[in-house]
Amino acid sequence: MARRFAGERLVVATHNPGKLAEIAELLRPFEIGVAGAGVLGLPEPEETGASFEANAELKARAAAQASGLPALADDSGLVVPALDGAPGIHSARWARAGRDFARAMAEVEARLAGKSDRRASFVACLTLAWPDGHVESFRGEARGHLVFPPRGTRGFGYDPIFVPEGGSETFGEMDPARKHAISHRADAFGKLAAACFVRETDT
Ligand code: ITT
């Protein structure tokens, strides 16, 4: 059985403001105080893992150890089957140091030239780590396809080129509340909440 979160405060171990906003929104119903890793001045560990899970665990463990509080990290990315899964765990790196996602999206478009398979998934792994080193990890996915040119100014990262299954708007055009209901992050968060944020009175 997963370890339950019993505290009142946790660190969200991300330096990405778009993710921080989405995770804070997902946590809101649980009335848990949220501190961002950037605000606490926690260092950004090097992401040396070979999977979303490994990188999420590495970030969550580093923040829990440095802060002495339970920490929640997200490692996520865009997985494109026609590009053998790229950019995948390197999704942030494709935007380079300037976090230039117009450039990263143009790179995806260029590499897809001549390929008709436009399927893509967003994947997120959420890891909750405790200062004693215990971790609980959950993976979520949102399936869809890619469109070019990018559309919409909402969301962040690759949102303007991703249309979820069954829809016509990109995540960049969509009302944020709708993205929060169907995203890879929401999928992973639902599993995390069911396992770790259960209150004694719920059982
Ligand atoms: P932290 O490691 O500090 O959390 P990061 O941006 O470096 O921030 P990742 O290493 O997990 O995070 O990189 C994930 C990248 O994948 C992220 O920068 C986005 O470009 C992209 N991504 C993940 N989730 C996304 C979403 O919901 N919408 C758009 N792009 C997303």
Side-chain angles (χ1 to χ4, degrees), residues 2-48:
R3 187 189 285 187
R4 292 183 181 181
F5 174 81
E8 287 170 354
R9 215 169 147 232
L10 61 74
V11 176
V12 178
T14 178
H15 290 77
N16 178 325
K19 274 190 194 177
L20 179 60
E22 289 193 5
I23 294 170
E25 187 61 29
L26 290 164
L27 281 167
R28 206 151 55 97
F30 297 92
E31 295 176 0
I32 296 166
V34 172
V39 175
L40 291 177
L42 298 179
E44 207 170 343
E46 208 188 325
E47 296 184 25
T48 51

Side-chain angles (χ1 to χ4, degrees), residues 23-97:
I23 294 170
E25 187 61 29
L26 290 164
L27 281 167
R28 206 151 55 97
F30 297 92
E31 295 176 0
I32 296 166
V34 172
V39 175
L40 291 177
L42 298 179
E44 207 170 343
E46 208 188 325
E47 296 184 25
T48 51
S51 64
F52 291 113
E53 282 76 9
N55 284 329
E57 289 187 11
L58 178 153
K59 290 188 273 190
R61 276 211 174 93
Q65 268 159 26
S67 67
L69 287 169
L72 178 61
D74 165 308
D75 200 66
S76 46
L78 182 71
V79 174
V80 182
L83 302 181
D84 298 325
I89 61 167
H90 299 126
S91 293
R93 269 171 253 178
W94 277 31
R96 313 278 170 95

